[in-house]
Amino acid sequence: MTLTELRYIVAVARERHFGRAAEACFVSQPTLSVAVKKLEDELDVKIFERGGAEVAVTPLGEEIVRQAQVVLDQAAAIKEIAKRGKDPLAGPLRLGVIYTVAPYLLPELVKHAIEQLPQMPLMLHENFTVKLLEMLRTGELDCAIMAEPFPDTGLAIAPLYDEPFVVAVPRTHPLARRDRITPEEIKSETMLLLGTGHCFRDHVLQVCPEFARLSNNAEGIRKSFEGSSLETIKHMVASGMGITVVPQMSVPKEPQPHVAYVPFASPPPSRRVVLAWRRSFTRYEAIAALRNCVYACDLPGVTRLTE
C-alpha cells in the first residue's frame, strides 16, 4: 500500500470515473486502474463497483476512502512540519495572553504581525495565568504573554516590559484633583477588584494588602466581582461605586468624562510582562520575531525590556 494508491482511490471516489480521476492525478487511466486493482487485491476487498456510466463506491470502500483521506492529510501535515523546520516563521503560532493584557496589546500586536510575519498567523487564546501554564505544559499553546510572578514550571522566559499601575477614581472624587497618590491614601477607599483567578487582583492586593484582610467586612473592599473585566470595573468606578487600580496600558489615550486616572507617587507599583514558552519548543526564531512585533507596538508609559 502506497500514498500514491491512496491518492488514486480518493480521486476515483471523488470523480466517480476512472478517466477523470486519472486526469486529476496527471497519470494515464491504465496506470491508475492497475494501481487501484492492486490495492483491492492487497486488501482483499472491492472498493469500487465498476460498470455503467459512473463508478460506485462500495459501503466498505466508503470507509476505506475516508481513512485514506485521513492518511493523506496526515502525510501532508508531516511535510508542513518539515517545512516549518526549514523556515521557523512558516505556519501558525499558538499564542496565549492573560485577560488583563490582551485587550490593550493585541490590537496593535496583531497589526504588526500581519505586516511583518504574514506567513506566521497568530492563533490567539485569552485565559487566566494558571490555565495558560497548563496549556503550555500540554502543548496546546506554543507561547504565552503573562505577568510575573507565576509558579516556576521550567519555562523559558523573555521579559517584554515593566508596566506601572495607576489609580482610577470617579471624576467627582477628591483624589481626582491630585497629581500623585500614595498607596496609603487609598486604604480607606472602597476598592473594586477583579475576581479570584485574575493575577492582576493579586498584584493590587500586594500594593494594598489590607484589602485582602477586609474583603469580607463592611469596611474597605465591598465585594470581589468574580469574572469581571477591567473595563467592567472601570464602568463601576464611573458610576461612583468605588476606585480601582489598573495597569498603565489600559488607560484610555483620551480623557474620560467620568473617570480620572491618577499616577502613583514614585516609585509606582508595577508588574513585569513576559513571554514564556516551553524549552523544548524548537521555533525560537518565531519567538524572537513575535517579541520584535511587541516592541514595534506603541507601549505608552511602560519600560521596554530588551535584554
Side-chain angles (χ1 to χ4, degrees):
M1 183 187 305
T2 66
L3 290 178
T4 298
E5 291 169 350
L6 297 182
R7 193 172 297 111
Y8 288 169
I9 66 170
V10 169
V12 173
R14 182 180 64 247
E15 300 292 340
R16 292 292 198 271
H17 192 276
F18 278 85
R20 291 194 297 270
E23 291 178 6
C25 294
F26 303 102
V27 295
S28 67
Q29 182 173 335
T31 297
L32 182 139
S33 297
V34 169
V36 171
K37 184 63 167 62
K38 175 175 174 291
L39 180 59
E40 288 179 319
D41 290 343
E42 179 182 344
L43 298 176
D44 194 23
V45 298
K46 183 176 286 189
I47 300 174
F48 302 108
E49 292 284 355
R50 297 157 176 85
E54 284 195 347
V55 174
V57 186
T58 65
L60 187 57
E62 293 279 5
E63 292 185 43
I64 293 173
V65 169
R66 280 197 298 271
Q67 188 60 39
Q69 185 62 65
V70 171
V71 173
L72 292 173
D73 290 342
Q74 291 176 338
I78 292 174
K79 292 183 178 180
E80 286 299 317
I81 292 172
K83 180 180 178 182
R84 289 199 299 269
K86 296 177 182 178
D87 180 5
L89 300 183
L93 185 71
R94 299 171 296 175
L95 171 65
V97 191
I98 57 174
Y99 288 120
T100 56
V101 167
Y104 316 110
L105 177 64
L106 286 183
E108 196 168 355
L109 175 60
V110 170
K111 182 188 74 170
H112 286 293
I114 292 172
E115 293 172 352
Q116 300 177 26
L117 305 165
Q119 75 278 37
M120 190 181 81
L122 299 179
M123 298 177 63
L124 302 171
H125 182 89
E126 282 185 75
N127 219 311
F128 298 111
T129 298
V130 64
K131 181 60 177 177
L132 296 182
L133 288 172
E134 178 186 345
M135 295 179 74
L136 280 172
R137 180 181 59 80
T138 59
E140 296 175 77
L141 291 175
D142 298 322
C143 55
I145 295 177
M146 302 178 289
E148 292 184 324
F150 47 80
D152 182 7
T153 57
L155 296 171
I157 293 173
L160 296 174
Y161 54 84
D162 285 338
E163 181 178 22
F165 301 157
V166 300
V167 183
V169 301
R171 279 283 178 191
T172 56
H173 196 288
L175 291 176
R177 298 189 291 271
R178 298 287 301 278
D179 292 330
R180 293 286 188 275
I181 297 177
T182 66
E184 291 290 326
E185 292 177 290
I186 63 176
K187 288 182 178 180
S188 60
E189 300 293 333
T190 298
M191 178 69 73
L192 306 175
L193 295 179
L194 290 170
T196 303
H198 287 276
C199 62
F200 192 73
R201 170 190 172 90
D202 300 329
H203 294 155
V204 175
L205 291 178
Q206 289 174 2
V207 177
C208 299
E210 60 278 359
F211 286 122
R213 178 175 55 83
L214 295 171
S215 60
N216 294 320
N217 295 343
E219 298 300 323
I221 178 172
R222 302 295 189 194
K223 187 176 181 182
S224 173
F225 294 89
E226 299 290 339
S228 295
S229 68
L230 281 177
E231 295 307 307
T232 299
I233 297 294
K234 289 181 190 178
H235 289 310
M236 296 166 66
V237 171
S239 68
M241 291 184 64
I243 71 171
T244 194
V245 174
V246 299
Q248 176 66 49
M249 283 181 57
S250 75
V251 176
K253 293 182 180 179
E254 300 296 329
Q256 301 297 292
H258 303 296
V259 180
Y261 297 89
V262 186
F264 278 100
S266 184
S270 64
R271 66 177 178 179
R272 174 158 294 184
V273 177
V274 303
L275 180 62
W277 65 96
R278 294 183 308 284
R279 294 185 183 277
S280 60
F281 186 57
T282 58
R283 297 171 63 192
Y284 181 75
E285 292 85 350
I287 298 294
L290 177 64
R291 196 179 180 197
N292 288 336
C293 285
V294 173
Y295 292 141
C297 296
D298 181 23
L299 305 175
V302 311
T303 302
R304 287 174 168 81
L305 302 171
T306 56
E307 295 183 358

